[in-house]
Amino acid sequence: MKRILAIAALLGVSALPAFGCNDILGFDERTFDPCVQYCDTIQQTCTQEHAQYQDQETCLGTCALFEAGDPESPTGNTIACRMEAVKRAQTSQALSLECPAAGPGGFNGNSEQVCGDRCGTYCDLMSTVCAGKSDVASLDTETCLSLCSGFTDNPAYDPSVGEIKDHDNSVQCRLWHLSVATGLPDPHCAHADGTTKCDGVFTSTTSASTSTGM
């Protein structure tokens, strides 16, 4: 504050009403964006085999489709709930457990629901992101949820391994490509619906994941 007053004195006391503190110090007025905080944090914390998004742009595009939620009560399919999960990942370093909960699926590494329902998220995002780009996007909610319930669950989905990232027949694989589709619907909507990726077809037997039924 003393520094601000000193600067104001140099400008003249009449400058204070005309310039806010941010203007004097060279800062812009900006509205706090929870998606920026969330994506900065998860991209720094959940990396390599624990990554939930391909890059910052993909994260921001996906986050924009979630409800903000209440930081004081961080529950449900919200940014606030996912932010709380990534904070736990930071403090506990339980990345295998918490990073999946912080990602779009919202289930932790033990396949326990934490932030919303992964199939609900998948179907909501498909209908929004891939409208006109995938037959799955045009399904009614009940049919889509039934379809999704048949996908395998692989909480250890590892996007750092190319064949698993692209061919794991799991809801996690589909959500990975669906998040990329927020910025690049072609070809990732077809990847996310299992037409061209996430098909369980591996060229190497060592790449096959240990998925379990949902």
Side-chain angles (χ1 to χ4, degrees), residues 33-210:
D33 187 341
C35 278
V36 172
Q37 183 190 30
Y38 164 69
C39 290
D40 283 349
T41 308
I42 195 169
Q43 289 299 97
Q44 293 167 7
T45 305
C46 301
T47 61
Q48 300 298 321
E49 70 269 27
H50 305 296
Q52 299 299 307
Y53 300 98
Q54 178 170 281
D55 50 35
Q56 181 82 347
E57 182 180 0
T58 294
C59 179
L60 290 170
T62 307
C63 180
L65 301 174
F66 294 139
E67 292 184 9
D70 181 1
E72 299 300 318
S73 180
T75 59
N77 188 22
T78 63
I79 304 167
C81 182
R82 289 172 171 83
M83 188 66 205
E84 193 68 17
V86 78
K87 286 179 180 177
R88 290 194 300 270
Q90 275 187 317
T91 56
S92 68
Q93 287 300 299
L95 303 183
S96 296
L97 178 68
E98 299 292 356
C99 285
F107 275 56
N108 68 18
N110 292 333
S111 293
E112 298 166 332
Q113 182 175 340
V114 178
C115 299
D117 176 75
R118 57 193 160 199
C119 278
T121 299
Y122 172 77
C123 291
D124 286 346
L125 292 180
M126 279 297 294
S127 65
T128 302
V129 176
C130 295
K133 301 288 185 180
S134 166
D135 289 342
V136 174
S138 63
L139 297 176
D140 61 77
T141 301
E142 184 178 354
T143 304
C144 181
L145 290 174
S146 177
L147 176 69
C148 180
S149 69
F151 301 154
T152 53
D153 170 39
N154 182 16
Y157 173 73
D158 183 354
S160 69
V161 178
E163 281 211 318
I164 291 178
K165 175 175 71 71
D166 287 338
H167 294 289
D168 192 49
N169 184 22
S170 65
V171 66
Q172 286 84 0
C173 178
R174 287 166 170 82
L175 283 168
W176 176 273
H177 288 281
L178 187 49
S179 66
V180 180
T182 59
L184 194 64
D186 290 321
H188 287 279
C189 284
H191 297 349
D193 69 13
T195 301
T196 52
K197 299 286 185 183
C198 305
D199 49 15
V201 178
F202 296 94
T203 59
S204 170
T205 56
T206 58
S207 295
S209 66
T210 55

Side-chain angles (χ1 to χ4, degrees), residues 14-28:
S14 61
L16 276 176
F19 297 97
C21 293
N22 287 342
D23 294 314
I24 292 172
L25 296 177
F27 298 145
D28 294 327

